[in-house]
Short mmCIF file of all heavy atoms in Angstrom, two decimals:
data_model
loop_
_atom_site.label_atom_id
_atom_site.label_comp_id
_atom_site.label_asym_id
_atom_site.label_seq_id
_atom_site.Cartn_x
_atom_site.Cartn_y
_atom_site.Cartn_z
N TYR A 489 105.95 77.88 -173.49
CA TYR A 489 106.64 76.78 -174.16
C TYR A 489 107.63 76.16 -173.17
O TYR A 489 108.38 76.88 -172.50
CB TYR A 489 107.41 77.29 -175.38
CG TYR A 489 106.54 77.91 -176.45
CD1 TYR A 489 106.18 79.25 -176.39
CD2 TYR A 489 106.09 77.15 -177.53
CE1 TYR A 489 105.39 79.84 -177.36
CE2 TYR A 489 105.30 77.72 -178.52
CZ TYR A 489 104.96 79.06 -178.43
OH TYR A 489 104.18 79.63 -179.40
N ASP A 542 119.52 90.17 -159.08
CA ASP A 542 120.18 89.72 -157.86
C ASP A 542 121.25 90.70 -157.40
O ASP A 542 121.39 90.97 -156.20
CB ASP A 542 120.81 88.34 -158.07
CG ASP A 542 119.76 87.24 -158.15
OD1 ASP A 542 118.90 87.19 -157.27
OD2 ASP A 542 119.81 86.44 -159.09
N HIS A 554 127.34 87.23 -145.48
CA HIS A 554 128.25 88.23 -144.90
C HIS A 554 127.73 88.70 -143.55
O HIS A 554 128.53 88.92 -142.62
CB HIS A 554 128.39 89.43 -145.85
CG HIS A 554 129.31 89.18 -147.00
ND1 HIS A 554 130.68 89.05 -146.84
CD2 HIS A 554 129.07 89.01 -148.33
CE1 HIS A 554 131.24 88.83 -148.03
NE2 HIS A 554 130.29 88.80 -148.94
N THR A 605 137.85 89.36 -150.41
CA THR A 605 138.39 88.03 -150.70
C THR A 605 137.39 86.95 -150.32
O THR A 605 137.20 85.96 -151.04
CB THR A 605 139.71 87.82 -149.94
OG1 THR A 605 140.64 88.83 -150.32
CG2 THR A 605 140.29 86.45 -150.23
N THR A 700 119.93 102.15 -157.17
CA THR A 700 121.12 102.46 -156.38
C THR A 700 120.86 103.55 -155.35
O THR A 700 121.63 103.69 -154.39
CB THR A 700 122.29 102.88 -157.29
OG1 THR A 700 121.89 103.99 -158.10
CG2 THR A 700 122.72 101.72 -158.18
N LEU A 761 142.09 65.88 -168.38
CA LEU A 761 142.98 66.31 -167.30
C LEU A 761 144.02 65.25 -166.98
O LEU A 761 144.53 65.18 -165.86
CB LEU A 761 142.15 66.64 -166.05
CG LEU A 761 141.07 67.72 -166.22
CD1 LEU A 761 140.34 67.96 -164.91
CD2 LEU A 761 141.67 69.02 -166.75
#
Side-chain angles (χ1 to χ4, degrees):
Y489 298 86
D542 288 310
H554 282 290
T605 302
T700 56
L761 302 180

